[in-house]
Amino acid sequence: MHLVTTERAAEIAYADFLKVDIRVGTILTAQAYPEARKPSYKLTIDFGPDIGVKKSAAQITVHYRLDDLVGRQVAAVVNFPPRQIGRFMSEVLTLGFPDTQGEVVLVQPSKATPNGGRLF
């Protein structure tokens, strides 16, 4: 189960929002990650020519099958420092919202958009 909070975050300035670089990318590959402590997949995501292809470990096994992920566009934070997840280096944070059980539902655009587009 994932962290689900109902508390609102503190108010921030627009300049603070701009510090978080959220981009759209297309999943190129999705692999099982059985070595992870919590059920996860290893994703490679194309964020276009300026950012390139990045890796992400994502706990999305409840709602998504590996076969359904390739070609799907997702949103991710691309300017966090890389994070070691077991033996895998996760370079971006793939974003989602919790469902009623606290499981991840991916954030994705409702229409196809160019890889690397920034959220505003």
Side-chain angles (χ1 to χ4, degrees):
M1 192 162 192
H2 302 278
L3 175 66
V4 178
T5 181
T6 56
E7 287 185 36
R8 283 186 63 180
E11 190 174 280
I12 62 171
Y14 185 69
D16 293 323
F17 169 74
L18 291 176
K19 293 176 185 176
V20 182
D21 194 354
I22 300 172
R23 303 288 180 128
V24 65
T26 300
I27 298 173
L28 300 176
T29 66
Q31 300 174 310
Y33 188 24
E35 305 87 11
R37 280 187 291 137
K38 296 180 181 178
S40 302
Y41 293 145
K42 295 188 286 187
L43 309 175
T44 56
I45 307 169
D46 180 4
F47 291 99
D50 292 338
I51 296 170
V53 175
K54 300 291 183 182
K55 298 180 292 184
S56 180
Q59 296 175 17
I60 56 174
T61 60
V62 171
H63 293 300
Y64 303 95
R65 293 186 357 220
L66 291 171
D67 298 346
D68 297 331
L69 290 168
V70 174
R72 179 185 296 265
Q73 286 196 295
V74 293
V77 176
V78 299
N79 66 331
F80 284 157
R83 183 171 177 200
Q84 190 77 39
I85 309 292
R87 301 176 109 180
F88 183 76
M89 184 62 73
S90 189
E91 300 173 301
V92 298
L93 175 64
T94 304
L95 298 174
F97 289 107
D99 67 7
T100 57
Q101 303 301 310
E103 299 297 339
V104 178
V105 176
L106 290 170
V107 174
Q108 65 184 78
S110 59
K111 295 183 188 242
T113 58
N115 288 336
R118 186 169 180 171
L119 180 72
F120 57 84

